[in-house]
Amino acid sequence: MNDPIILLQTGISGLLFGSVYGLIAFGLTLVFALTRLLNFAHGSFMLLAMYGSMVLSQRFGIDPYLSVLIHVPVFFGIGYLLYRWIFAGLMESELIVVVQLTLGFVFIIQSALQLTFTADPQTVRTFATNSRLAFGDIVIRTPLIIALVTAAVLAAALFWMLQRTDFGRFIRASVQDPVAAALMGIDVNRVRILAFSIAIALLGIAGPLAIPMWVLEPAAGMEITLFGFIVVVLGGMGSFVGAFVGGLIVGVAEAYGNFFLPGTLAPVVPYALFILMLLFRPSGLFGEA
Amino acid sequence: MLEIDSLSVSYGPVEVLHGISLSVGEGEFVALVGSNNAGKSTLLLTISGLLNPTKGTIRFLGKPMNGLAPHRRVADGIIQVPERKRLFPRMTVEENLLVGGSNARAIGERPQMVQRMYEAFPVLGQRRKQEAQTLSGGEQQMLAIARGMMAKPRLLILDEPSLGLAPRIVGDIYKTLVALNAEGLSVLLSEQNARISLQSSRRAYVIQEGRIVLSGNSASLANSDEVRQSYLGL
């Protein structure tokens, strides 16, 4: 059990899958930093994307990875309408209203998935599901490498956008001081709508990336959200770099948890990490203290 | 160019501005003098569209501004340098300028404008890659003004530009504003520092508890007993 190769392999696999958590957390961070909205349904939309890939795969034979091309515009649109019709009106509301509302979405999506696809766990095959790549003695599942490469490319694009484009500067300006941003001519509401839409669109990519590693269950949405929140807090609320680094850490923690602990105890590891972080560095890894 | 007629503004049930009328003409330098809590910031934020009036009208270049979002007023040329500067603290000096110059009227000349700001405020050029929060108070106020100028204002509004600055730096800031005004820029500013704002402006309004109580030529206001006693401490 303590074979160093296996140990290393486990860690690397966790790290690679952590990049998907990074994508989830980046979206949460973007939305939270700009709007202070805590969207508990964030993970449910990722789940929706996964079921969407399942349908596209079963009905039309489209590989889940290819379904990303359909998901990105569709989920961007869902995010756009959702923010415009619902969240935009909640900016002044009490936290509890937003929490209740987004929890409502969680249960609506869960029930809808259950009615349509039953509560049975399902798996969806991709072209890479059973393929592995060997690096010397270390064998890594191909889907993990696809996940990392995709997430890394996206992360690089997102950071470039934040640092080098006007829209990215508008996002950072609106995060740092929305009043000053408005006085400088930025349409802060538009920035918020687009950022929210981007965050949901990212889930349309994260979902298919996770398909080869996960079992689809209607009730999984909340779990994905909570993992996302752990990552966000770990990385430092509002830090975009922290979101990705936090994602990698949670990925590794989860992998070793599954490796060393019995199945019922394993999911506790990321939460334990979360509590330790709150105790010793409540501002997170990259947070402003 | 700016005409405000019987403007009232409330925070919830509490009315804080009671029927304010005020105007700024093309190329004028107008000061709004009053103590803390007199309603100066409320008035300026309402002009920029961050607060909505309960009564009264705001017109800019003849166009009604009521109900127009803040960014649309920027597009029309109303630019405000807010109280306590409100820079984007974790963005660099240059990024602050770039954001300032991002509206449709300004963006075409943005690169040239950035260079012009560095010529006008050499210290900003030296610090262009530094985060705004690392600048001194005076440098921050210069950046705040430069950021506002990047937006190509037709009317530049400044809320308490002297706040928290050393007297020498306040002098520099006002010299800059007078120079900009001499080039044709219309300026409306609010100040607790009545002395320097009355010296620099041509016309002024005195605001007290949400009402304009005095107005007129700045020099004669500075000599009136009421202003001397209440605001100049003489």
Side-chain angles (χ1 to χ4, degrees):
Chain A
M1 155 155 179
N2 283 335
D3 180 348
I5 296 287
I6 306 260
L7 219 55
L8 191 60
Q9 204 164 279
T10 304
I12 292 174
S13 298
L15 191 74
L16 298 184
F17 190 70
S19 62
V20 174
Y21 291 140
L23 282 184
I24 301 169
F26 182 92
L28 277 172
T29 297
L30 194 61
V31 170
F32 181 77
L34 272 172
T35 64
R36 303 280 135 183
L37 289 174
L38 280 177
N39 179 11
F40 279 92
H42 200 68
S44 301
F45 287 103
M46 175 164 163
L47 193 62
L48 216 48
M50 295 172 82
Y51 274 96
S53 295
M54 183 179 88
V55 172
L56 290 170
S57 164
Q58 289 172 349
R59 291 275 173 81
F60 306 102
I62 297 171
D63 191 272
Y65 286 120
L66 269 183
S67 61
V68 160
L69 298 176
I70 300 166
H71 285 346
V72 169
V74 168
F75 279 81
F76 186 92
I78 292 175
Y80 192 91
L81 297 178
L82 208 62
Y83 189 87
R84 218 191 145 137
W85 285 341
I86 297 171
F87 288 113
L90 297 176
M91 291 301 295
E92 311 291 323
S93 305
E94 297 289 335
L95 181 66
I96 190 77
V97 174
V98 178
V99 170
Q100 286 287 13
L101 180 85
T102 58
L103 281 175
F105 281 133
V106 172
F107 296 122
I108 290 169
I109 292 173
Q110 184 174 330
S111 303
L113 289 175
Q114 217 156 340
L115 279 172
T116 322
F117 303 105
T118 77
D120 298 337
Q122 315 205 39
T123 54
V124 189
R125 283 184 55 86
T126 71
F127 80 92
T129 297
N130 292 326
S131 126
R132 285 172 166 69
L133 288 173
F135 304 87
D137 288 337
I138 295 171
V139 181
I140 303 288
R141 293 186 61 195
T142 310
L144 289 171
I145 294 173
I146 294 175
L148 178 81
V149 170
T150 311
V153 169
L154 276 173
L158 290 167
F159 283 114
W160 178 83
M161 184 265 285
L162 282 174
Q163 295 298 327
R164 294 273 175 266
T165 69
D166 269 323
F167 182 62
R169 283 190 284 265
F170 292 172
I171 289 179
R172 284 186 295 142
S174 306
V175 166
Q176 293 178 21
D177 193 332
V179 169
L183 288 177
M184 287 307 119
I186 295 175
D187 185 349
V188 179
N189 272 330
R190 189 168 157 273
V191 170
R192 287 177 174 152
I193 288 193
L194 292 177
F196 188 87
S197 312
I198 289 171
I200 300 294
L202 282 176
L203 298 174
I205 304 174
L209 290 182
I211 275 183
M213 274 72 71
W214 278 358
V215 174
L216 275 67
E217 288 175 276
M222 193 66 199
E223 214 174 307
I224 302 173
T225 300
L226 291 180
F227 259 64
F229 282 150
I230 291 180
V231 172
V232 169
V233 173
L234 214 61
M237 285 297 238
S239 162
F240 296 115
V241 180
F244 277 102
V245 177
L248 301 182
I249 294 174
V250 167
V252 174
E254 186 191 28
Y256 281 124
N258 286 329
F259 186 74
F260 286 113
L261 297 174
T264 45
L265 209 55
V268 169
V269 173
Y271 291 94
L273 198 67
F274 174 73
I275 291 167
L276 284 176
M277 194 69 181
L278 287 182
L279 284 176
F280 294 107
R281 196 179 152 80
S283 57
L285 289 171
F286 293 84
E288 310 262 318
Chain B
M1 80 190 313
L2 177 72
E3 288 116 35
I4 296 175
D5 187 33
S6 343
L7 195 76
S8 296
V9 179
S10 303
Y11 289 119
V14 184
E15 190 177 271
V16 288
L17 293 185
H18 319 283
I20 288 201
S21 298
L22 170 157
S23 71
V24 180
E26 193 90 46
E28 261 199 315
F29 192 136
V30 176
L32 189 61
V33 178
S35 57
N36 215 353
N37 280 328
K40 304 189 298 297
S41 291
T42 303
L43 176 57
L44 297 186
L45 289 175
T46 308
I47 296 173
S48 280
L50 283 159
L51 296 171
N52 286 314
T54 47
K55 269 179 259 155
T57 57
I58 302 174
R59 298 172 79 82
F60 184 67
L61 298 170
K63 178 178 165 186
M65 291 284 120
N66 294 49
L68 223 54
H71 68 274
R72 300 216 180 271
R73 302 188 196 204
V74 170
D76 284 332
I78 300 180
I79 314 298
Q80 178 160 181
V81 177
E83 190 178 357
R84 292 176 205 284
K85 311 152 202 123
R86 302 194 82 142
L87 298 168
F88 305 117
R90 294 181 300 285
M91 293 172 80
T92 65
V93 167
E94 184 143 314
E95 287 175 329
N96 269 274
L97 293 178
L98 291 176
V99 170
S102 59
N103 72 62
R105 251 172 348 100
I107 199 159
E109 292 170 45
R110 192 164 64 167
Q112 297 91 301
M113 279 300 284
V114 170
Q115 287 318 312
R116 238 192 282 168
M117 290 303 135
Y118 289 158
E119 282 158 29
F121 307 98
V123 67
L124 296 183
Q126 289 156 25
R127 309 223 187 289
R128 53 193 285 254
K129 296 284 175 209
Q130 263 174 251
E131 285 189 352
Q133 62 186 355
T134 65
L135 303 186
S136 71
E139 290 163 357
Q140 288 194 10
Q141 188 57 267
M142 284 175 197
L143 177 54
I145 292 172
R147 183 181 66 171
M149 289 306 295
M150 287 293 302
K152 299 194 80 184
R154 292 182 167 125
L155 170 67
L156 186 67
I157 296 176
L158 301 102
D159 195 358
E160 301 266 4
S162 77
L163 197 73
L165 299 180
R168 191 179 51 79
I169 295 168
V170 172
D172 289 347
I173 299 281
Y174 269 85
K175 246 178 255 164
T176 306
L177 294 176
V178 169
L180 288 171
N181 175 246
E183 287 167 27
L185 179 68
S186 313
V187 177
L188 169 65
L189 59 76
S190 83
E191 268 296 355
Q192 285 187 64
N193 185 337
R195 190 180 309 269
I196 189 142
S197 56
L198 290 177
Q199 268 167 19
S200 309
S201 60
R202 216 165 314 163
R203 221 151 51 71
Y205 294 84
V206 178
I207 182 169
Q208 217 171 62
E209 289 173 2
R211 288 190 174 81
I212 303 286
V213 291
L214 280 172
S215 67
N217 181 291
S218 296
S220 48
L221 276 178
N223 287 322
S224 74
D225 289 343
E226 204 169 340
V227 170
R228 282 163 66 93
Q229 273 171 19
S230 309
Y231 300 101
L232 299 172
L234 297 172

